[in-house]
Each structure stands twice: as structure tokens, then as C-alpha cells.
Amino acid sequence: MTTTRVLCAGAIALGFTLVAAPVGMQARQQTGDTVRIDPDDIGGVVTGPRGAEAGVWVIAETADLPTRFVRIVVTDDRGRYVIPDLPKATYSVWTRGYGLVDSAKAEAKPGETVNLKAVVAPDPHSAAKYYPAGYWFSLLKPPAASEFPGTGPEGNGIAAGLKTQAEWLRLAKSGGCLSCHALGTPGTREIPAALGVFDSSVDAWMRRVQSGQAGANMMSTLNQLGAKRTLAVFADWTDRIKAGEVPPPPPRPQGLERNVVITEWDWADPKAYLHDEASTDRRNPTLNANGLIYGALELSADYLPVLDPVHNTISQVKLTVRDQATEPAQGAAMLQPSAYFGKEPPWSSRNNVHNPMFDEKGRVWITSAVRPPENPAFCKEGSDHPSAKLMPLQRSSRHLAVYDPKTQKLTHISTCFGTHHLMFAEDANNTLWTSGGGQVVGWLNRKMFDETGDEEKSQGWTALILDTNGNGRRDEYVEPNQPVDPTKDKRLGAAFYSVAPAPDGSIWGSVLGFPGAIVRLNPGSNPPATALAEVYEPPVEKHAYSPRGMDIDRNGVAWVALASGHMASFDRRKCKGPLNGPSATGPQCPEGWTLYQEPVPQMKGASDPGSAESSYYTWVDQFDTLGLGANTPINTGNESEGLLVLKDGKFVVLRVPYPLGYYTKWMDGRIDDPNGGWKGRGLWSTVSTRAPFHMETGKGTTSKVIHFQMRPDPLAR
């Protein structure tokens, strides 16, 4: 008979002694409840000194399977839990929750009942070790609003180009630091001893920012912020944490948050980091049911990691380039050695794969470098290519490729335009639209390419032209640095960051920067020459600014993550004024925006309402793959360490409690069985931080595939 292991030291600290008893007897004595389980479940009750512990996580982990496997659930209001449908293995099972420290780990197999003793945290600092990164980040004190505008290194140390506190926050959040990794994780709120001994925390932070292959990138962001003042801000932050300051406690999971089942698999390797994964065709989430999951390793390595979630196995698809002169995307040079890898450069990718996407044939499309950046002649001035005649392009650093799992063939596609994100439209040509082309938006006519294999004729691109003369068609235009001419159109000097084809045939994208914008592109009948754009800026007067990733719902409403700590929707149908003409250059439709503040406290000293959260991307569950309704928008919750699901105007936080440091950049939803209830659907994501070694489990941590499923109740089997 399985018995509960008791963490005696924690019990003694609370002034009482606990004695292990048979689990069946414990369940009756402690709550009067019994938990029904199937032969492939583990279930039980979690109790503490005051009785049942509601809203705490129960974690089951095993290394017995081909790759490390974790499944996590939440207790109900009586402390009961069921971890369903576990593969045969021996598991370590323990509980984690706010106000607690981890319980002792019990050994168990499916079919066994395991009751767990929660251990109350002995002090606030011990409790806070389990808080999400964003709560720790909220302790940061940015330069006060009164210190702006910046006066440079010889003045107040803030970069002279920053006019407001909001602009500084944008760069410190998803416009800079948080676009690659979280801040507030164990690896960032402390100074690693491996960096050395320093005269001051300012010196320690300067050394830290210079570390590793990304040191030059981090120094660039630091200088954009203003190195002198910013180093002082971060030094003060870590000094106060070292002295014992802790953030306010997060609430425990409530309501729907207790119904989640989270499954994790290790994949890739400890030197690689993931950017995205793909499980199905965005337009048809029943495609590839129960099939393989594919990932993208961006700068780090030249293979696609692959997970078989049915057999719990991992594999790789090796990637190649067309031209062997293609160089690694991230150079090996370092300003200073890494605290984790020393002088060894862990990243070596030439392909620099950023974003995978399934098509309706089950093929995996990726943004990937296939050759050096200098473009072929057909892209440049003098070419008769329809797009090149209008907007010749000299260079593109990332292109396209497609992998067919049936034939195991990888096909390279050289594009004149750069690529970053990609998504298929719902049109007769299965057009693949991309972002990342600089001041053009590019596409591939998938139907033509499949039929002819002609990459030159199958691709196109367009500049972003605003209809500022208001006549409804594209005409001669003035350049971005020229004033609006009421007789002409105007070219928008902006680039798509995300890309999202809408059901009505329009293409939406987000524009980085301050205040940033979202853009609606109407391709027209001949996109290189007929495409017209509309641009909409978030309402800065409502303290909303700087989009990053965005998506579109089935009604044509755009949803976007803002650096101000908001999810925002933009409904073009609400616009009262004209959508074109000389005044339609960004701020013309504030009434189209609705803001939802993300659920992490605001930073200390931040003068505007908002949140320390800064989600990387908003993804819309168009087809109810999670089970909370069609058209449900979900933020990546990078500082919340979970997904932020907007349900009925309020956020449902699906937090990943183990290992601490979950940070994703994308997700997709798949329906494996339309008739299978909650078990037949779910969301897929991956750990996407560039620094998995910042997570709770430290150096050696690999990226993980994460599956989120929503049960009808916390005990559903």
C-alpha cells in the first residue's frame, strides 16, 4: 500500500508532528473525500495544517520514458486532484503552491492513490521563490517620469532620444530585453557568481550584459536605453532583492484555472533554444491529428526538433542550405565569456529558422536562410519581375523552405524579400504571406510553386502605400520622409513584424516601435501594383503603446500584445471617421481600440497604469481548440510564466509552475479527435527563451514542448 512521505522538518517548524498513515485512511481522516481514479491515473488529496489545500499544483515527473515527461494538474476546492492518462512509468509526485514550499516527493505509479502534505513556507522570502518572473520584475524602479526627456551620458544618463518613461519601458520590455528572455527569473534577479567579483552592482551588471554571443545585442539595447542610468536601475533592483525585498504574492489558481492539465516533454538540447512550434494547419486544426510536433531553433542549431507525443519520443530533421557560403546568423565573437558556457559559442545555425507552419498537405513550411544575403539579379533594379519593377530589393537574410514528412525531402526557396513569420491565407492559391521583409510585405503563390517549381515567378512583394488622396485606388506616392500631398498617396516607412491573413482576404501586421501600429493590407487584384494599406496607432493617451505579435479573429478583429502591459483589440468596424484620405495616417480611429490590462502588478515608480507584464504575442483560438470558445484571444504571458486567456473580458491564467521560467513566443491549437471531448483538443507551445539556463533547473535545461488541455472540472478523468 502506498504511503505519504512527510517533510518532517517543515512540520516541526510549524510546531507539530505528522505521522504517515495508509493513504486510504488519510483521505478519510483528513477530508472525508475519496478520489476516483482509473488504472492510468494518479490521484489523491493535498492537505496542510489547516486542512485541504485548494488551488495548488500537483506535479508528476519521470525520466523512465524516451524523453523526460511531466504532467501537472491543480487541486479542487477540497484539495483533491487527479493526474489523468499517464504513460506507464514510475513518477516523482509532489505539490507546489503559493504560500508553500515544495512538499516531499512521493514515488508512485499509475493506478495508485498518493495523498500529499503541503508545507507552509517558513517566511515570505521562501514563499516568493515560487512566484513568476513578472512579480519579481515588478520590483524594478524605472527612471521617474520627471527624468524625461533623456539628456544623454553627460546629463541624466538616459538616452537623449527617449522623450517619455513609456519609451524607456518599451525598450526594457518587449521592444528589447523581454523579446529574448524574461526578467525576474532566478537567472536574472541574481548576479551569477561565475561572472566574478565586482566593486559595485553597476559593474556586475555591465559585465553581465556583455556576456556570451548575445553580448553585443544586449549592449546595443542598453545604449538605446542609456547605459549610465539603466545600469543604476538594474543594480538597485538586484541589490534590493539581495537585501530581502520580495514581491506581493500572486493569487492561487481559481475557477477555470483549476481545470487545466499541462504536459511537458523535453526536446532539442541544452545549447539550443526554441522559437516556435507547429502541430497542425492553422486553417484546419484537425490536420495531423495525434501527429508529430515540429520546432524552430532560430539562431541556435540547424535541425528541426520533432516530438512524437503519442510514443513520447524525440527526433530531428537535419537542415541544409542551398549555398555553402551561407554563414552562421549569429557570429561567434563575444565581448565577454558566458557565465554558463564560458568562451564556447553555443549557437551555430546558418538556417536561422524562425517560424514553422503546416499546410493542408501536411508539409512543414519554415522561414530559413538558404543562401548569402546578396539577392539574385531578378530581385534588383533593371529586372522585369513585376515586384522588382516597383520596389527592387538588394538583400534578404532569411528566405523559405519546406519539409515534406512523407518524402523526407527539404526544398529551398530563395526569396528576394526577407522572412520572419509566415501564415497561409484562405484563398484559391494557398498564398503564403510573410513578415520580415523590411519595408515590403512578401508572399509566395503556393499553388503556382507546387505546379511549376518556379520560385521566381511564384513570389511577389509590395510596398505599404496609404491612400492619402482618398480616391480608393493606388496612385503615385510621396516617400515616408515627405509631407502628405493631397493629390498623391504616401508610402508607409514601416515593416510587418507579425503577419495574419484575415477571412475577408486582407492581410494584417504589427509594426514595432513607439507608439507602434497595426496595418491592414488590401492586396487588390494585382498586389505589387494594387495593394493599399491602412495604419492604426494604439491610443497613447490611454497609456497603450508598442505592439509586438498580433493575430486576427474570424470576425476581422485584430488582437495584439502591447509593451504597456495590455492585450488590445482593434475593431475596424467601430471607426467613425474616414479610413483613407490625408488624415488617415495612424491616430484616426481611437474608438476602434479596447484595452485589457494584463494580470501582473505594475512596476514600482511607473507613472502610467499598466502592468510589468509584456507579452510577446497574441494568438487567437479561432476554432475552439482549447475548449473555451471560438475566437478566444490568448497572450503568451511571458512574465506571468503562463498563457493569458481572455474569457468574457477577464484573464484566465494558465500558469506553468515547473520548472519556473516558462516563456513562450507562439502557440497553436490542434483537435486530435472532434468527438473526444476535452481529451481530443488542446494548445501546443514550447519554451522559447533564448536563455533556458535562466530557468529554475539551471544549466542543462532543454527547451520543452508544452500541451495545455482544459477539463470540465479538476477531477475529470
Side-chain angles (χ1 to χ4, degrees):
M1 181 177 292
T2 303
T3 58
T4 302
R5 299 181 178 182
V6 179
L7 186 56
C8 298
I12 293 171
L14 294 169
F16 59 92
T17 303
L18 301 173
V19 179
V23 293
M25 184 180 298
Q26 283 186 1
R28 291 191 297 272
Q29 290 175 342
Q30 293 159 359
T31 68
D33 290 323
T34 58
V35 177
R36 295 178 58 194
I37 60 172
D38 294 330
D40 57 356
D41 304 336
I42 294 174
V45 182
V46 179
T47 56
R50 298 179 181 177
E53 290 284 357
V56 300
W57 293 282
V58 181
I59 304 163
E61 179 179 36
T62 185
D64 291 353
L65 302 174
T67 190
R68 184 177 300 276
F69 178 96
V70 176
R71 185 157 286 164
I72 303 171
V73 298
V74 187
T75 59
D76 71 359
D77 58 356
R78 288 187 277 180
R80 300 174 299 176
Y81 75 92
V82 171
I83 309 176
D85 301 341
L86 290 165
K88 290 183 179 180
T90 299
Y91 293 85
S92 292
V93 183
W94 74 99
T95 188
R96 169 174 288 188
Y98 298 137
L100 310 174
V101 295
D102 281 2
S103 71
K105 293 183 178 181
E107 186 177 284
K109 295 180 179 179
E112 296 182 345
T113 298
V114 180
N115 293 331
L116 297 167
K117 285 294 184 181
V119 182
V120 176
D123 54 70
H125 191 268
S126 298
K129 289 182 179 179
Y130 301 97
Y131 297 172
Y135 281 74
W136 290 95
F137 188 47
S138 73
L139 299 179
L140 192 84
K141 296 178 181 178
S146 60
E147 296 183 63
F148 293 86
T151 54
E154 303 305 319
N156 63 7
I158 300 171
L162 300 181
K163 306 303 181 186
T164 65
Q165 186 188 65
E167 292 176 69
W168 189 95
L169 289 172
R170 193 273 299 188
L171 280 171
K173 296 170 77 178
S174 61
C177 307
L178 292 184
S179 66
C180 292
H181 56 77
L183 286 172
T185 54
T188 56
R189 65 178 183 255
E190 301 169 356
I191 303 295
L195 288 180
V197 179
F198 303 93
D199 293 336
S200 70
S201 295
V202 168
D203 293 339
W205 265 97
M206 175 61 86
R207 170 64 178 82
R208 143 179 265 164
V209 170
Q210 294 175 330
S211 300
Q213 277 179 281
N217 304 79
M218 291 190 287
M219 280 300 301
S220 175
T221 300
L222 181 64
N223 289 328
Q224 291 177 62
L225 288 161
K228 179 180 176 181
R229 187 70 179 89
T230 301
L231 288 170
V233 166
F234 279 91
D236 169 73
W237 179 54
T238 50
D239 283 348
R240 285 186 286 114
I241 289 172
K242 186 176 181 180
E245 186 171 350
V246 297
R252 287 186 178 182
Q254 302 287 334
L256 290 172
E257 296 168 350
R258 296 182 180 178
N259 296 352
V260 69
V261 178
I262 299 170
T263 309
E264 305 175 7
W265 296 262
D266 280 10
W267 66 345
D269 63 78
K271 293 181 182 178
Y273 76 88
L274 268 289
H275 196 282
D276 296 328
E277 57 69 41
S279 69
T280 187
D281 183 353
R282 166 62 186 268
R283 303 160 298 175
N284 173 21
T286 62
L287 183 130
N288 193 41
N290 298 302
L292 304 181
I293 314 295
Y294 293 83
L297 294 179
E298 203 179 18
L299 298 168
S300 52
D302 283 336
Y303 64 87
L304 302 181
V306 182
L307 169 73
D308 181 339
V310 175
H311 300 98
N312 306 299
T313 58
I314 57 176
S315 57
Q316 299 177 0
V317 173
K318 298 296 183 183
L319 298 176
T320 60
V321 292
R322 178 183 294 179
D323 187 336
Q324 296 305 310
T326 308
E327 296 183 352
Q330 181 77 42
M334 300 183 189
L335 299 176
Q336 294 283 356
S338 163
Y340 300 89
F341 296 100
K343 296 181 180 180
E344 175 191 5
W347 302 337
S348 59
S349 174
R350 295 190 292 177
N351 293 100
N352 194 18
V353 176
H354 185 271
N355 189 203
M357 196 71 64
F358 272 86
D359 68 13
E360 75 285 356
K361 298 181 179 181
R363 298 175 299 183
V364 182
W365 290 77
I366 56 177
T367 55
S368 172
V370 305
R371 56 165 173 81
E374 186 68 22
N375 274 344
F378 80 85
C379 307
K380 299 179 180 179
E381 189 80 38
S383 168
D384 61 359
H385 190 285
S387 296
K389 286 181 178 180
L390 297 170
M391 182 65 70
L393 300 174
Q394 299 298 313
R395 295 170 65 85
S396 58
S397 59
R398 192 192 272 129
H399 318 103
L400 291 170
V402 57
Y403 172 72
D404 189 340
K406 295 178 182 177
T407 63
Q408 299 185 351
K409 179 183 178 183
L410 180 72
T411 301
H412 302 124
I413 304 167
S414 173
T415 57
C416 301
F417 50 88
T419 64
H420 196 65
H421 294 103
L422 75 174
M423 195 174 287
F424 287 102
E426 301 176 38
D427 61 11
N429 292 325
N430 287 302
T431 306
L432 181 62
W433 289 88
T434 71
S435 69
Q439 294 187 9
V440 302
V441 177
W443 65 85
L444 182 78
N445 182 324
R446 238 280 323 287
K447 182 175 183 290
M448 181 184 293
F449 182 77
D450 282 347
E451 291 174 350
T452 67
D454 191 326
E455 66 185 17
E456 179 178 339
K457 291 183 179 179
S458 300
Q459 66 178 278
W461 59 94
T462 183
L464 297 174
I465 308 300
L466 303 177
D467 182 20
T468 48
N469 67 12
N471 66 2
R473 63 176 185 270
R474 179 159 153 178
D475 304 301
E476 290 186 21
Y477 55 83
V478 297
E479 292 296 331
N481 60 350
Q482 296 175 318
V484 171
D485 181 338
T487 67
K488 296 181 179 180
D489 293 336
K490 183 177 177 66
R491 185 169 72 84
L492 182 65
F496 271 23
Y497 174 74
S498 58
V499 63
D504 68 357
S506 62
I507 313 299
W508 291 75
S510 56
V511 176
L512 305 182
F514 189 93
I518 60 174
V519 174
R520 179 182 187 268
L521 182 70
N522 181 1
S525 59
N526 178 27
T530 60
L532 279 173
E534 301 165 8
V535 60
Y536 302 97
E537 295 176 357
V540 178
E541 67 277 6
K542 294 183 179 179
H543 316 292
Y545 52 84
S546 299
R548 198 165 182 96
M550 65 151 288
D551 202 359
I552 202 82
D553 69 19
R554 302 302 297 177
N555 299 316
V557 177
W559 295 85
V560 62
L562 301 179
S564 51
H566 298 90
M567 175 192 284
S569 67
F570 179 79
D571 189 341
R572 182 173 175 266
R573 298 169 297 184
K574 295 180 179 180
C575 295
K576 297 177 181 178
L579 303 180
N580 58 7
S583 63
T585 55
Q588 70 272 16
C589 185
E591 64 273 13
W593 293 88
T594 304
L595 304 176
Y596 305 89
Q597 186 168 305
E598 294 176 298
V600 169
Q602 178 61 296
M603 283 186 247
K604 287 193 171 185
S607 59
D608 296 336
S611 169
E613 180 60 89
S614 183
S615 291
Y616 186 91
Y617 221 101
T618 302
W619 181 83
V620 178
D621 187 4
Q622 295 184 354
F623 300 106
D624 192 24
T625 59
L626 181 60
L628 293 183
N631 287 327
T632 297
I634 306 172
N635 268 7
T636 51
N638 300 88
E639 288 292 289
S640 298
E641 299 189 13
L643 302 182
L644 306 180
V645 183
L646 189 67
K647 175 70 173 172
D648 300 326
K650 297 181 180 180
F651 282 108
V652 176
V653 181
L654 304 183
R655 183 158 287 142
V656 179
Y658 172 80
L660 293 168
Y662 170 76
Y663 171 109
T664 194
K665 292 184 175 181
W666 173 256
M667 69 201 83
D668 69 347
R670 189 171 75 187
I671 299 174
D672 294 320
D673 181 358
N675 300 314
W678 71 270
K679 293 187 180 184
R681 60 187 62 222
L683 299 184
W684 296 89
S685 77
T686 184
V687 169
S688 303
T689 174
R690 288 195 183 190
F693 39 83
H694 284 174
M695 296 176 71
E696 170 187 1
T697 40
K699 184 180 178 181
T701 302
T702 71
S703 181
K704 303 171 192 301
V705 181
I706 315 290
H707 192 209
F708 296 84
Q709 295 173 289
M710 293 297 292
R711 296 187 279 191
D713 63 77
L715 302 182
R717 295 171 289 146

